[in-house]
Amino acid sequence: MTATQRQERNADALVVGVRLPVQLPLPTLPLPADIAFLVRFGFSAASLKPIAARARRIGAAAAEVLVASGLTTETVYARLLARHLQCNEPTNLVPHPRVRHQDALRQGWFRATTADGRPVLAIAAIGPVARLLGQGALAHHARHVVVLERASYHDVLKRHFGEAIAYAAAHSVPADESARGGLTNRQMAVLGIAVSALAAVAMQAFEATLLLAPMLLGVVFLVMAGLQAAAVGAGLPIVDIRPEQNDENLPLYSVLVPLYREAEIIGDLVAALARLDYPAEKLQVLLIVEEHDAQTQAALAGLSLPSHMQVFVAPAGAPHTKPRALNAALPFATGERVVIFDAEDRPEPQQLRKAAAMFAALPQSTACLQARLAIDNADDSMLTRLFAFEYAALFDVTKAGTARLGLPVPLGGTSNHFRTDVLRQLGGWDAWNVTEDADLGIRLAMHGYHVADLNATTFEEAPVRLGAWLHQRSRWLKGWMQTAITHSRAPCTAFKALGPLSFMAAVAQSAGIILGALGAPVFMALLARRFATPAPFFSGNWVHVLADGVMLGLVVAGLIALVLPLMIGMARRDLWRLAPWLMLLPLYLMLISLAAYKALWELLHQPHRWNKTTHGVARRRISPPGD
């Protein structure tokens, strides 16, 4: 056996060796091993005892509590632990070829080689292995160990596995469930045949086509209206849940915040996240920035972040989308639960405690909680007022009711709380879908999981100007088109996985939304044409009578489905002061149709382009309760 092989065997033995007995004498103190050694470096036992007591009370590592308390920093702690173990300096580490970054992140150690070729065991200073080493075990192996603070530990893995992380982030979702493939040959053939047949019929019998087309589409729209009415009924009761106040029962929570060109609002964001009422020792906040976004990185570097907040630089790669950045950060999330917030978000302080209590009360099949979203700059412009109406109806009524009915829930882009293991099992988000949240809601249902409504609010900033609104809405609708395409590749499989009712709901909430947005101008034109016709309604042959019935039925059902959730949402958000602006709803609906046609053009020419929404332009933002 060569010297190198013997060294590698010794390094491998370290993994087993962490179970060896203590070999360095420690003071007889009622302190956890991962902080007891600090007495040798000038920390008083009296200052460490409250740390130990809190660690026992909330069920967290004493080192986590120590750093969160501000008594020392993680950098200093890592250096003192290394001095205690008499370890090597952590320079130019290269992970062993057999190391997988997912394993290294989960277990808190990995085999590596130093610049001069020596095998070592790299360990995260705050983690399971470090706690055992803190007892003094492996003293005679210390020359084979390097201790890294978590940021440095992650940096080594990102530097070495950057390409693998970027590739996995873009391809985490199986190809048949991802938008990256676009339309299949079969879908293009079916679509071509349908368009050709419609064109041929229209050329032969134009008037008949004008009568029959609304009747055929009316079936879809009536199903949508029926589901909307059912969701409104289910969403009427206000179901609240008491936040979990016992810190010991709280799970580890990771907060993922994707950022891109957000330097202007970083300070407000960090302040909003700092107001979250959750033990810092059990909270991890990853502020995710793109590798080339120097301005946002510089803004973050200028802030003094709390110990539980870290900047995560996503390795460069394609496509350049929010879900790809989230996928890159997901393996680095340490929480049993994970939540997504956007850069402009201001969540209610107790939202995470409510989510923890709700997850504990629900079965494992409930994999996601959707919190409520509300607009806090409604008074800025006509668009923000109408946007506020829309969000109040959607999140306070419709989505809440859809969740309670057990139907697929297209998620909102933020404040989604997940069981981390389920999210990883599904591959995270589809990096190629520009409305990744809605797609994930459908995929959860396809895999047998449920979404529940979380009665806790996150306040958001709505686009103030038409250009910004159109940019954002066209991206959303393009993503809906991608979602409809993706999940219609194997309709029989989808029907079997979802069941009849959920399948209809998924179709209505994906293809139905697109058809409604694209078809609204056509329907309005046909309705105006019918009112301009001298013949009275329900006259002529049975085809005309049926066509009139469907058209008027759609008008009535559409008004009920639109107005009822709006009224309930306005009441719950106390938006009555804005009621006169409801007169502009028809104009708002036409703007949505304009955005749909823009989205269709982008789908054909730039399917994966991410239209960035500019934040920080609101003139007035109300303060959330609890701030």
Side-chain angles (χ1 to χ4, degrees), residues 376-415:
D376 61 5
N377 65 322
D379 292 303
D380 272 0
S381 71
M382 177 269 287
L383 281 172
T384 59
R385 292 177 175 93
L386 295 172
F387 208 121
F389 295 150
E390 184 181 17
Y391 261 35
L394 188 62
F395 287 96
D396 286 290
V397 184
T398 305
K399 284 189 184 291
T402 304
R404 291 174 197 167
L405 291 171
L407 299 175
V409 179
L411 301 175
T414 177
S415 305

mmCIF file of all heavy atoms in Angstrom, residues 376-415:
data_model
loop_
_atom_site.group_PDB
_atom_site.id
_atom_site.type_symbol
_atom_site.label_atom_id
_atom_site.label_comp_id
_atom_site.label_asym_id
_atom_site.label_seq_id
_atom_site.Cartn_x
_atom_site.Cartn_y
_atom_site.Cartn_z
ATOM 1 N N ASP A 376 -50.431 46.340 -1.554
ATOM 2 C CA ASP A 376 -50.326 47.386 -0.539
ATOM 3 C C ASP A 376 -50.067 48.773 -1.129
ATOM 4 O O ASP A 376 -49.821 49.724 -0.382
ATOM 5 C CB ASP A 376 -49.253 47.038 0.496
ATOM 6 C CG ASP A 376 -47.866 46.892 -0.088
ATOM 7 O OD1 ASP A 376 -47.696 47.157 -1.288
ATOM 8 O OD2 ASP A 376 -46.940 46.518 0.663
ATOM 9 N N ASN A 377 -50.109 48.892 -2.449
ATOM 10 C CA ASN A 377 -49.992 50.229 -3.065
ATOM 11 C C ASN A 377 -51.180 50.483 -3.990
ATOM 12 O O ASN A 377 -51.047 51.039 -5.078
ATOM 13 C CB ASN A 377 -48.668 50.378 -3.828
ATOM 14 C CG ASN A 377 -48.571 49.447 -5.034
ATOM 15 O OD1 ASN A 377 -49.027 48.312 -4.971
ATOM 16 N ND2 ASN A 377 -47.982 49.923 -6.116
ATOM 17 N N ALA A 378 -52.369 50.071 -3.527
ATOM 18 C CA ALA A 378 -53.569 50.134 -4.366
ATOM 19 C C ALA A 378 -53.910 51.556 -4.802
ATOM 20 O O ALA A 378 -54.522 51.755 -5.858
ATOM 21 C CB ALA A 378 -54.752 49.518 -3.623
ATOM 22 N N ASP A 379 -53.529 52.550 -4.037
ATOM 23 C CA ASP A 379 -53.924 53.923 -4.352
ATOM 24 C C ASP A 379 -52.991 54.611 -5.340
ATOM 25 O O ASP A 379 -53.164 55.811 -5.614
ATOM 26 C CB ASP A 379 -53.990 54.746 -3.061
ATOM 27 C CG ASP A 379 -55.122 54.294 -2.159
ATOM 28 O OD1 ASP A 379 -56.277 54.300 -2.620
ATOM 29 O OD2 ASP A 379 -54.850 53.908 -1.010
ATOM 30 N N ASP A 380 -52.030 53.889 -5.891
ATOM 31 C CA ASP A 380 -51.037 54.530 -6.759
ATOM 32 C C ASP A 380 -51.575 54.902 -8.141
ATOM 33 O O ASP A 380 -51.188 55.918 -8.716
ATOM 34 C CB ASP A 380 -49.813 53.625 -6.918
ATOM 35 C CG ASP A 380 -48.781 53.867 -5.829
ATOM 36 O OD1 ASP A 380 -49.020 54.729 -4.974
ATOM 37 O OD2 ASP A 380 -47.745 53.189 -5.835
ATOM 38 N N SER A 381 -52.430 54.063 -8.720
ATOM 39 C CA SER A 381 -52.897 54.314 -10.082
ATOM 40 C C SER A 381 -54.153 53.504 -10.356
ATOM 41 O O SER A 381 -54.577 52.673 -9.532
ATOM 42 C CB SER A 381 -51.814 53.943 -11.109
ATOM 43 O OG SER A 381 -51.659 52.532 -11.180
ATOM 44 N N MET A 382 -54.738 53.730 -11.522
ATOM 45 C CA MET A 382 -55.903 52.942 -11.917
ATOM 46 C C MET A 382 -55.562 51.456 -11.966
ATOM 47 O O MET A 382 -56.324 50.608 -11.492
ATOM 48 C CB MET A 382 -56.396 53.425 -13.286
ATOM 49 C CG MET A 382 -57.575 52.639 -13.859
ATOM 50 S SD MET A 382 -57.099 51.228 -14.921
ATOM 51 C CE MET A 382 -56.546 52.095 -16.383
ATOM 52 N N LEU A 383 -54.399 51.130 -12.505
ATOM 53 C CA LEU A 383 -54.007 49.722 -12.616
ATOM 54 C C LEU A 383 -53.829 49.070 -11.258
ATOM 55 O O LEU A 383 -54.234 47.916 -11.053
ATOM 56 C CB LEU A 383 -52.715 49.607 -13.434
ATOM 57 C CG LEU A 383 -52.856 49.701 -14.953
ATOM 58 C CD1 LEU A 383 -51.486 49.778 -15.607
ATOM 59 C CD2 LEU A 383 -53.638 48.519 -15.502
ATOM 60 N N THR A 384 -53.206 49.777 -10.320
ATOM 61 C CA THR A 384 -52.989 49.165 -9.004
ATOM 62 C C THR A 384 -54.307 48.949 -8.277
ATOM 63 O O THR A 384 -54.459 47.967 -7.530
ATOM 64 C CB THR A 384 -52.051 50.029 -8.144
ATOM 65 O OG1 THR A 384 -52.614 51.340 -7.979
ATOM 66 C CG2 THR A 384 -50.678 50.151 -8.776
ATOM 67 N N ARG A 385 -55.276 49.826 -8.494
ATOM 68 C CA ARG A 385 -56.590 49.641 -7.869
ATOM 69 C C ARG A 385 -57.270 48.383 -8.406
ATOM 70 O O ARG A 385 -57.792 47.562 -7.651
ATOM 71 C CB ARG A 385 -57.461 50.873 -8.110
ATOM 72 C CG ARG A 385 -56.969 52.124 -7.380
ATOM 73 C CD ARG A 385 -57.835 53.341 -7.718
ATOM 74 N NE ARG A 385 -57.448 54.516 -6.945
ATOM 75 C CZ ARG A 385 -56.576 55.434 -7.352
ATOM 76 N NH1 ARG A 385 -56.007 55.313 -8.554
ATOM 77 N NH2 ARG A 385 -56.275 56.460 -6.586
ATOM 78 N N LEU A 386 -57.253 48.232 -9.727
ATOM 79 C CA LEU A 386 -57.887 47.053 -10.328
ATOM 80 C C LEU A 386 -57.105 45.778 -9.990
ATOM 81 O O LEU A 386 -57.691 44.699 -9.824
ATOM 82 C CB LEU A 386 -57.994 47.247 -11.837
ATOM 83 C CG LEU A 386 -58.923 48.394 -12.266
ATOM 84 C CD1 LEU A 386 -58.817 48.646 -13.764
ATOM 85 C CD2 LEU A 386 -60.364 48.093 -11.880
ATOM 86 N N PHE A 387 -55.791 45.906 -9.898
ATOM 87 C CA PHE A 387 -54.949 44.778 -9.506
ATOM 88 C C PHE A 387 -55.315 44.339 -8.083
ATOM 89 O O PHE A 387 -55.377 43.139 -7.769
ATOM 90 C CB PHE A 387 -53.477 45.200 -9.566
ATOM 91 C CG PHE A 387 -52.509 44.083 -9.834
ATOM 92 C CD1 PHE A 387 -51.667 44.122 -10.940
ATOM 93 C CD2 PHE A 387 -52.414 43.009 -8.970
ATOM 94 C CE1 PHE A 387 -50.761 43.101 -11.188
ATOM 95 C CE2 PHE A 387 -51.500 41.986 -9.207
ATOM 96 C CZ PHE A 387 -50.673 42.032 -10.310
ATOM 97 N N ALA A 388 -55.559 45.314 -7.204
ATOM 98 C CA ALA A 388 -55.928 45.000 -5.820
ATOM 99 C C ALA A 388 -57.258 44.251 -5.769
ATOM 100 O O ALA A 388 -57.417 43.297 -4.992
ATOM 101 C CB ALA A 388 -56.004 46.279 -4.996
ATOM 102 N N PHE A 389 -58.239 44.672 -6.597
ATOM 103 C CA PHE A 389 -59.499 43.934 -6.685
ATOM 104 C C PHE A 389 -59.245 42.486 -7.101
ATOM 105 O O PHE A 389 -59.796 41.544 -6.527
ATOM 106 C CB PHE A 389 -60.429 44.588 -7.722
ATOM 107 C CG PHE A 389 -60.896 45.969 -7.370
ATOM 108 C CD1 PHE A 389 -61.180 46.893 -8.365
ATOM 109 C CD2 PHE A 389 -61.062 46.350 -6.050
ATOM 110 C CE1 PHE A 389 -61.622 48.169 -8.056
ATOM 111 C CE2 PHE A 389 -61.505 47.624 -5.725
ATOM 112 C CZ PHE A 389 -61.779 48.541 -6.729
ATOM 113 N N GLU A 390 -58.441 42.341 -8.144
ATOM 114 C CA GLU A 390 -58.170 41.014 -8.702
ATOM 115 C C GLU A 390 -57.534 40.094 -7.662
ATOM 116 O O GLU A 390 -57.942 38.942 -7.495
ATOM 117 C CB GLU A 390 -57.251 41.165 -9.920
ATOM 118 C CG GLU A 390 -56.966 39.879 -10.654
ATOM 119 C CD GLU A 390 -56.025 40.077 -11.828
ATOM 120 O OE1 GLU A 390 -55.347 41.132 -11.888
ATOM 121 O OE2 GLU A 390 -55.964 39.173 -12.687
ATOM 122 N N TYR A 391 -56.530 40.599 -6.941
ATOM 123 C CA TYR A 391 -55.851 39.773 -5.924
ATOM 124 C C TYR A 391 -56.790 39.433 -4.772
ATOM 125 O O TYR A 391 -56.739 38.322 -4.230
ATOM 126 C CB TYR A 391 -54.614 40.508 -5.410
ATOM 127 C CG TYR A 391 -53.323 40.060 -6.058
ATOM 128 C CD1 TYR A 391 -53.295 39.685 -7.398
ATOM 129 C CD2 TYR A 391 -52.126 40.020 -5.345
ATOM 130 C CE1 TYR A 391 -52.114 39.279 -8.001
ATOM 131 C CE2 TYR A 391 -50.938 39.613 -5.942
ATOM 132 C CZ TYR A 391 -50.937 39.248 -7.257
ATOM 133 O OH TYR A 391 -49.769 38.834 -7.846
ATOM 134 N N ALA A 392 -57.624 40.383 -4.367
ATOM 135 C CA ALA A 392 -58.561 40.114 -3.274
ATOM 136 C C ALA A 392 -59.517 38.988 -3.651
ATOM 137 O O ALA A 392 -59.805 38.098 -2.838
ATOM 138 C CB ALA A 392 -59.336 41.386 -2.927
ATOM 139 N N ALA A 393 -60.015 39.011 -4.878
ATOM 140 C CA ALA A 393 -60.921 37.956 -5.332
ATOM 141 C C ALA A 393 -60.196 36.628 -5.490
ATOM 142 O O ALA A 393 -60.709 35.570 -5.104
ATOM 143 C CB ALA A 393 -61.566 38.365 -6.654
ATOM 144 N N LEU A 394 -58.989 36.696 -6.043
ATOM 145 C CA LEU A 394 -58.261 35.473 -6.379
ATOM 146 C C LEU A 394 -57.754 34.744 -5.141
ATOM 147 O O LEU A 394 -57.993 33.539 -4.970
ATOM 148 C CB LEU A 394 -57.094 35.828 -7.302
ATOM 149 C CG LEU A 394 -56.310 34.676 -7.914
ATOM 150 C CD1 LEU A 394 -57.200 33.822 -8.795
ATOM 151 C CD2 LEU A 394 -55.131 35.213 -8.723
ATOM 152 N N PHE A 395 -57.040 35.463 -4.255
ATOM 153 C CA PHE A 395 -56.371 34.786 -3.146
ATOM 154 C C PHE A 395 -57.233 34.667 -1.891
ATOM 155 O O PHE A 395 -57.115 33.694 -1.154
ATOM 156 C CB PHE A 395 -55.059 35.503 -2.810
ATOM 157 C CG PHE A 395 -53.992 35.280 -3.832
ATOM 158 C CD1 PHE A 395 -53.772 36.194 -4.850
ATOM 159 C CD2 PHE A 395 -53.217 34.129 -3.808
ATOM 160 C CE1 PHE A 395 -52.801 35.976 -5.809
ATOM 161 C CE2 PHE A 395 -52.246 33.905 -4.762
ATOM 162 C CZ PHE A 395 -52.033 34.822 -5.769
ATOM 163 N N ASP A 396 -58.112 35.649 -1.656
ATOM 164 C CA ASP A 396 -58.933 35.572 -0.454
ATOM 165 C C ASP A 396 -60.184 34.727 -0.647
ATOM 166 O O ASP A 396 -60.804 34.336 0.338
ATOM 167 C CB ASP A 396 -59.338 36.981 -0.006
ATOM 168 C CG ASP A 396 -58.183 37.734 0.621
ATOM 169 O OD1 ASP A 396 -57.775 37.363 1.728
ATOM 170 O OD2 ASP A 396 -57.676 38.675 -0.003
ATOM 171 N N VAL A 397 -60.547 34.473 -1.897
ATOM 172 C CA VAL A 397 -61.791 33.747 -2.136
ATOM 173 C C VAL A 397 -61.572 32.521 -3.025
ATOM 174 O O VAL A 397 -61.747 31.378 -2.597
ATOM 175 C CB VAL A 397 -62.853 34.676 -2.773
ATOM 176 C CG1 VAL A 397 -64.175 33.936 -2.929
ATOM 177 C CG2 VAL A 397 -63.040 35.932 -1.938
ATOM 178 N N THR A 398 -61.176 32.758 -4.280
ATOM 179 C CA THR A 398 -61.175 31.673 -5.269
ATOM 180 C C THR A 398 -60.147 30.597 -4.962
ATOM 181 O O THR A 398 -60.474 29.400 -4.930
ATOM 182 C CB THR A 398 -60.935 32.245 -6.677
ATOM 183 O OG1 THR A 398 -61.899 33.261 -6.942
ATOM 184 C CG2 THR A 398 -61.067 31.147 -7.711
ATOM 185 N N LYS A 399 -58.887 30.994 -4.777
ATOM 186 C CA LYS A 399 -57.855 29.980 -4.511
ATOM 187 C C LYS A 399 -58.099 29.282 -3.178
ATOM 188 O O LYS A 399 -57.862 28.072 -3.046
ATOM 189 C CB LYS A 399 -56.461 30.605 -4.537
ATOM 190 C CG LYS A 399 -55.947 30.904 -5.937
ATOM 191 C CD LYS A 399 -54.493 31.318 -5.917
ATOM 192 C CE LYS A 399 -54.021 31.721 -7.314
ATOM 193 N NZ LYS A 399 -53.951 30.589 -8.240
ATOM 194 N N ALA A 400 -58.563 30.037 -2.189
ATOM 195 C CA ALA A 400 -58.870 29.427 -0.894
ATOM 196 C C ALA A 400 -59.946 28.358 -1.053
ATOM 197 O O ALA A 400 -59.838 27.249 -0.515
ATOM 198 C CB ALA A 400 -59.314 30.501 0.090
ATOM 199 N N GLY A 401 -61.008 28.694 -1.807
ATOM 200 C CA GLY A 401 -62.074 27.729 -2.017
ATOM 201 C C GLY A 401 -61.644 26.540 -2.846
ATOM 202 O O GLY A 401 -62.028 25.393 -2.567
ATOM 203 N N THR A 402 -60.850 26.776 -3.892
ATOM 204 C CA THR A 402 -60.349 25.683 -4.727
ATOM 205 C C THR A 402 -59.539 24.702 -3.894
ATOM 206 O O THR A 402 -59.659 23.478 -4.047
ATOM 207 C CB THR A 402 -59.485 26.237 -5.874
ATOM 208 O OG1 THR A 402 -60.249 27.178 -6.628
ATOM 209 C CG2 THR A 402 -59.028 25.120 -6.795
ATOM 210 N N ALA A 403 -58.714 25.218 -2.995
ATOM 211 C CA ALA A 403 -57.918 24.353 -2.126
ATOM 212 C C ALA A 403 -58.813 23.528 -1.212
ATOM 213 O O ALA A 403 -58.590 22.330 -1.009
ATOM 214 C CB ALA A 403 -56.940 25.198 -1.306
ATOM 215 N N ARG A 404 -59.829 24.148 -0.658
ATOM 216 C CA ARG A 404 -60.719 23.427 0.266
ATOM 217 C C ARG A 404 -61.550 22.371 -0.447
ATOM 218 O O ARG A 404 -61.997 21.399 0.170
ATOM 219 C CB ARG A 404 -61.637 24.421 0.988
ATOM 220 C CG ARG A 404 -60.871 25.294 1.972
ATOM 221 C CD ARG A 404 -61.750 26.365 2.575
ATOM 222 N NE ARG A 404 -60.928 27.411 3.184
ATOM 223 C CZ ARG A 404 -61.376 28.583 3.570
ATOM 224 N NH1 ARG A 404 -62.659 28.874 3.409
ATOM 225 N NH2 ARG A 404 -60.569 29.463 4.105
ATOM 226 N N LEU A 405 -61.775 22.556 -1.744
ATOM 227 C CA LEU A 405 -62.480 21.533 -2.525
ATOM 228 C C LEU A 405 -61.574 20.362 -2.889
ATOM 229 O O LEU A 405 -62.039 19.366 -3.443
ATOM 230 C CB LEU A 405 -63.046 22.160 -3.800
ATOM 231 C CG LEU A 405 -64.209 23.145 -3.625
ATOM 232 C CD1 LEU A 405 -64.521 23.837 -4.944
ATOM 233 C CD2 LEU A 405 -65.449 22.438 -3.084
ATOM 234 N N GLY A 406 -60.267 20.494 -2.614
ATOM 235 C CA GLY A 406 -59.326 19.425 -2.946
ATOM 236 C C GLY A 406 -58.967 19.372 -4.415
ATOM 237 O O GLY A 406 -58.468 18.344 -4.896
ATOM 238 N N LEU A 407 -59.189 20.478 -5.138
ATOM 239 C CA LEU A 407 -58.887 20.532 -6.571
ATOM 240 C C LEU A 407 -57.473 21.078 -6.787
ATOM 241 O O LEU A 407 -56.887 21.678 -5.880
ATOM 242 C CB LEU A 407 -59.909 21.432 -7.271
ATOM 243 C CG LEU A 407 -61.367 20.973 -7.168
ATOM 244 C CD1 LEU A 407 -62.287 22.013 -7.789
ATOM 245 C CD2 LEU A 407 -61.561 19.615 -7.843
ATOM 246 N N PRO A 408 -56.908 20.882 -7.976
ATOM 247 C CA PRO A 408 -55.584 21.452 -8.254
ATOM 248 C C PRO A 408 -55.596 22.973 -8.067
ATOM 249 O O PRO A 408 -56.535 23.650 -8.507
ATOM 250 C CB PRO A 408 -55.335 21.084 -9.725
ATOM 251 C CG PRO A 408 -56.194 19.894 -9.970
ATOM 252 C CD PRO A 408 -57.412 20.087 -9.118
ATOM 253 N N VAL A 409 -54.555 23.484 -7.419
ATOM 254 C CA VAL A 409 -54.459 24.921 -7.151
ATOM 255 C C VAL A 409 -53.234 25.478 -7.870
ATOM 256 O O VAL A 409 -52.101 25.187 -7.468
ATOM 257 C CB VAL A 409 -54.342 25.208 -5.641
ATOM 258 C CG1 VAL A 409 -54.215 26.710 -5.387
ATOM 259 C CG2 VAL A 409 -55.539 24.633 -4.893
ATOM 260 N N PRO A 410 -53.423 26.256 -8.919
ATOM 261 C CA PRO A 410 -52.277 26.938 -9.531
ATOM 262 C C PRO A 410 -51.710 27.948 -8.534
ATOM 263 O O PRO A 410 -52.387 28.893 -8.138
ATOM 264 C CB PRO A 410 -52.879 27.637 -10.756
ATOM 265 C CG PRO A 410 -54.215 26.978 -10.964
ATOM 266 C CD PRO A 410 -54.680 26.562 -9.616
ATOM 267 N N LEU A 411 -50.490 27.737 -8.101
ATOM 268 C CA LEU A 411 -49.931 28.545 -7.024
ATOM 269 C C LEU A 411 -49.643 29.966 -7.475
ATOM 270 O O LEU A 411 -49.404 30.228 -8.651
ATOM 271 C CB LEU A 411 -48.635 27.897 -6.517
ATOM 272 C CG LEU A 411 -48.758 26.470 -5.990
ATOM 273 C CD1 LEU A 411 -47.386 25.920 -5.650
ATOM 274 C CD2 LEU A 411 -49.696 26.409 -4.790
ATOM 275 N N GLY A 412 -49.657 30.885 -6.520
ATOM 276 C CA GLY A 412 -49.147 32.221 -6.765
ATOM 277 C C GLY A 412 -47.633 32.163 -6.731
ATOM 278 O O GLY A 412 -47.043 31.214 -6.207
ATOM 279 N N GLY A 413 -46.979 33.184 -7.239
ATOM 280 C CA GLY A 413 -45.519 33.120 -7.394
ATOM 281 C C GLY A 413 -44.736 33.311 -6.125
ATOM 282 O O GLY A 413 -43.506 33.254 -6.139
ATOM 283 N N THR A 414 -45.412 33.532 -5.005
ATOM 284 C CA THR A 414 -44.708 33.797 -3.759
ATOM 285 C C THR A 414 -45.545 33.278 -2.588
ATOM 286 O O THR A 414 -46.725 32.954 -2.750
ATOM 287 C CB THR A 414 -44.454 35.307 -3.598
ATOM 288 O OG1 THR A 414 -43.831 35.553 -2.340
ATOM 289 C CG2 THR A 414 -45.749 36.097 -3.639
ATOM 290 N N SER A 415 -44.890 33.171 -1.439
ATOM 291 C CA SER A 415 -45.559 32.732 -0.211
ATOM 292 C C SER A 415 -46.138 31.332 -0.343
ATOM 293 O O SER A 415 -47.181 31.018 0.231
ATOM 294 C CB SER A 415 -46.645 33.739 0.196
ATOM 295 O OG SER A 415 -46.079 35.018 0.314
#
